[in-house]
Amino acid sequence: MNEAMRGYLWALVQLSNEVCTLTNEKNHLEGSKDVVSEQSQRKELYKKVLQAFPDQWMNTGAISREVSMMKKKMESATAPPKPDEAAPSQPQP
């Protein structure tokens, strides 16, 4: 999977998560106790994405791993630096 494909996949996952959130909010406002999980939504998304690839070229496990790697990459890019990773302080003269 190339970088462009990863970008599209990440965008699809983000949209899927938003749809899940909005669906749950709608259900709550309507008084429904139905809850849609992001995990089940992603599982269905992976099945749809899989159909775009030639047979035996990709599987849902590989797609899931790609998404997990992108998620870690995004989290590390937006996370504040840990105290032990911060720039060393200048010694006082």
Side-chain angles (χ1 to χ4, degrees):
M1 188 174 285
N2 64 35
E3 204 60 37
M5 293 168 73
R6 286 184 188 101
Y8 290 127
L9 179 59
W10 184 250
L12 287 171
V13 168
Q14 295 301 320
L15 289 171
S16 176
N17 290 345
E18 286 298 316
V19 167
C20 181
T21 300
L22 291 171
T23 300
N24 287 333
E25 286 178 14
K26 174 188 155 286
N27 288 344
H28 175 73
L29 291 172
E30 292 177 344
S32 173
K33 298 203 187 269
D34 292 341
V35 177
V36 178
S37 75
E38 287 183 358
Q39 184 177 6
S40 64
Q41 287 278 107
R42 270 194 313 273
K43 186 176 179 180
E44 293 303 313
L45 174 65
Y46 297 165
K47 288 179 185 177
K48 290 177 183 177
V49 169
L50 184 63
Q51 294 173 358
F53 291 96
D55 288 344
Q56 307 300 318
W57 196 80
M58 181 68 69
N59 60 49
T60 56
I63 295 169
S64 177
R65 283 188 296 278
E66 291 285 346
V67 171
S68 293
M69 287 189 302
M70 288 184 285
K71 183 177 178 182
K72 286 181 184 178
K73 184 177 176 181
M74 292 296 188
E75 287 173 349
S76 66
T78 60
K82 295 178 183 176
D84 60 321
E85 295 176 358
S89 61
Q90 297 294 324
Q92 296 297 326

